[in-house]
Amino acid sequence: MKTSELIAALAQADTGPVRLARPMNRLAAGAAAGVLAAVLILALWLGFQPLSAALHASWFWMKAGYSLTVAAVGFLLVTRLARPGTPAGRSWLVVGALALAAIWMMAAHTSMRAPADRQAAVWLGSTWRVCPWRILALSAPIYVALTLGLRRLAPTRLAQAGAAAGLMAGGLAGAVYGLYCQENTAPFVAIWYTAGFAASALIGALLGPRLLRW
């Protein structure tokens, strides 16, 4: 069959409209599956802190709120980068800037109120050496699930899409890790949780061109 005949046959075919992909739904489903896997890993690996007390503590919700806001920034980015030709926009930048400003304002306030002999404890806690790596480890199943969802879409900016998926995975992993982590100061969260988020985004950017190629 000649090309012209093929085009004519396709034009005359009784085909319905192609259903548009819904990146938000697919990515949300992938994120939910990844979070469930991360929670199961945390339960087998480190366990949970006494949640009945933690749920009434402001520091628990401070960590969860910051982590989930970072995840939302990644979600805003990745849903746009999943579609060719769609600009990244600025909403993610505004939300991210507000999240960083809020956590660092809380960190500065806590540090100024702490006595000199408590500064190291306020900023380092007792788990600063392992906190970012644990968040990074818990982000892995979430990133894999998001990547599987992205591969069914059509990202063209692969490094950026990978970084956004990594940032989203890191934020969600931080919220999961908060079910175990008993560090309770904003300075600790501002540095070491942020380091985990940044590491997840960086690795996502490095893996994106390899895993998201289509």
Side-chain angles (χ1 to χ4, degrees):
M1 179 181 289
K2 296 181 180 180
T3 303
S4 58
E5 295 173 342
L6 175 61
I7 294 173
L10 291 174
Q12 294 174 4
D14 185 16
T15 57
V18 177
R19 186 177 181 182
L20 295 176
R22 294 185 174 88
M24 294 182 68
N25 292 344
R26 289 182 178 178
L27 293 173
V35 167
L36 178 59
V39 170
L40 292 174
I41 291 170
L42 179 68
L44 296 172
W45 178 23
L46 299 170
F48 303 125
Q49 63 177 302
L51 293 177
S52 57
L55 291 173
H56 294 88
S58 59
W59 52 264
F60 176 87
W61 295 108
M62 176 264 295
K63 291 188 293 186
Y66 178 52
S67 298
L68 292 174
T69 303
V70 170
V73 172
F75 186 66
L76 289 172
L77 260 176
V78 78
T79 53
R80 299 185 71 82
L81 293 172
R83 292 170 287 182
T86 303
R90 296 182 179 179
S91 56
W92 67 272
L93 187 60
V94 174
V95 175
L98 290 175
L100 284 174
I103 196 65
W104 279 101
M105 286 177 63
M106 287 188 283
H109 178 71
T110 300
S111 181
M112 287 188 294
R113 295 186 60 185
D117 61 350
R118 285 281 301 159
Q119 289 298 319
V122 163
W123 288 95
L124 301 179
S126 60
T127 60
W128 65 275
R129 290 183 179 88
V130 297
C131 174
W133 304 111
R134 288 172 172 173
I135 290 175
L136 183 60
L138 291 171
S139 73
I142 305 173
Y143 181 77
V144 170
L146 289 173
T147 298
L148 292 175
L150 277 172
R151 285 178 62 86
R152 298 179 62 188
L153 301 172
T156 56
R157 293 154 288 181
L158 303 184
Q160 295 94 321
L167 185 64
M168 182 178 173
L172 292 172
V176 171
Y177 182 59
L179 299 174
Y180 162 81
C181 176
Q182 297 187 53
E183 301 288 356
N184 58 9
T185 66
F188 180 92
V189 174
I191 292 183
W192 306 111
Y193 271 58
T194 302
F197 303 154
S200 182
L202 176 60
I203 292 177
L206 294 175
L207 294 177
R210 295 172 176 81
L211 299 181
L212 298 177
R213 186 179 291 114
W214 54 280

